[in-house]
Amino acid sequence: MHVSIFGSTVEIDESHIEEPPAVVREQVREYVRGTRRTFDLTVTRPEGVTGDVMATMTDIPYGETRTYGELAATLDTAPVAVGQACGRNPVPIVVPCHRVVGSDGGLRGYSGGDGVATKRRLLEFEQGTTQTRLSTES
């Protein structure tokens, strides 16, 4: 399935999600509106490193990032293996591979939409809505 988000089209492999496409699309719309920070979907992860990396990415909070090296250390693997697994993520946005960055904060790559440009828009959106929420709560 293809979903439009921030001027890009991202492919989500619906065969890895138990819920029907209409539910996935609605949750993506809620994310774009800023009313959803996590996805409430049942995702089937591939076995091996890709599935392990996906599980770890799911734990990265909205508006935050982790480095390839941090995930690699958690999983006892190499940063390049984490990057490759991110590139194989069949459900970008739902499993937030856009929240994984280089050790210097560089965006490196993104398999969804328009690549790094889409990743940048997703991160800026999340960081912007997080900052707005914090300033209104103070």
Side-chain angles (χ1 to χ4, degrees):
M1 107 176 37
H2 292 91
V3 296
S4 295
I5 187 162
F6 306 124
S8 296
T9 300
V10 175
E11 184 175 344
I12 295 175
D13 184 345
E14 61 195 273
S15 72
H16 288 271
I17 301 174
E18 287 187 25
E19 290 76 13
V23 172
V24 177
R25 289 182 191 285
E26 179 57 28
Q27 290 194 20
V28 170
R29 281 192 292 273
E30 291 168 354
Y31 171 85
V32 169
R33 286 194 302 261
T35 59
R36 175 171 294 280
R37 295 196 182 319
T38 60
F39 289 87
D40 184 25
L41 300 168
T42 307
V43 175
T44 303
R45 295 185 302 264
E47 300 226 357
V49 174
T50 299
D52 294 343
V53 170
M54 288 174 65
T56 303
M57 287 188 295
T58 302
D59 293 335
I60 303 171
Y62 182 96
E64 295 183 21
T65 60
R66 299 292 182 271
T67 68
Y68 296 99
E70 289 171 326
L71 268 62
T74 299
L75 297 168
D76 195 28
T77 191
V80 70
V82 171
Q84 291 168 343
C86 288
R88 291 188 298 267
N89 176 8
V91 289
I93 302 171
V94 174
V95 173
C97 52
H98 62 278
R99 296 179 189 154
V100 184
V101 298
S103 60
D104 62 354
L107 301 187
R108 302 295 183 264
Y110 186 64
S111 62
D114 298 320
V116 171
T118 300
K119 183 174 187 172
R120 181 176 292 110
R121 286 192 292 271
L122 290 167
L123 290 173
E124 288 172 351
F125 169 74
E126 288 185 8
Q127 291 164 354
T129 59
T130 300
Q131 291 303 319
T132 299
R133 186 185 66 168
L134 291 175
S135 65
T136 59
E137 290 177 355
S138 299

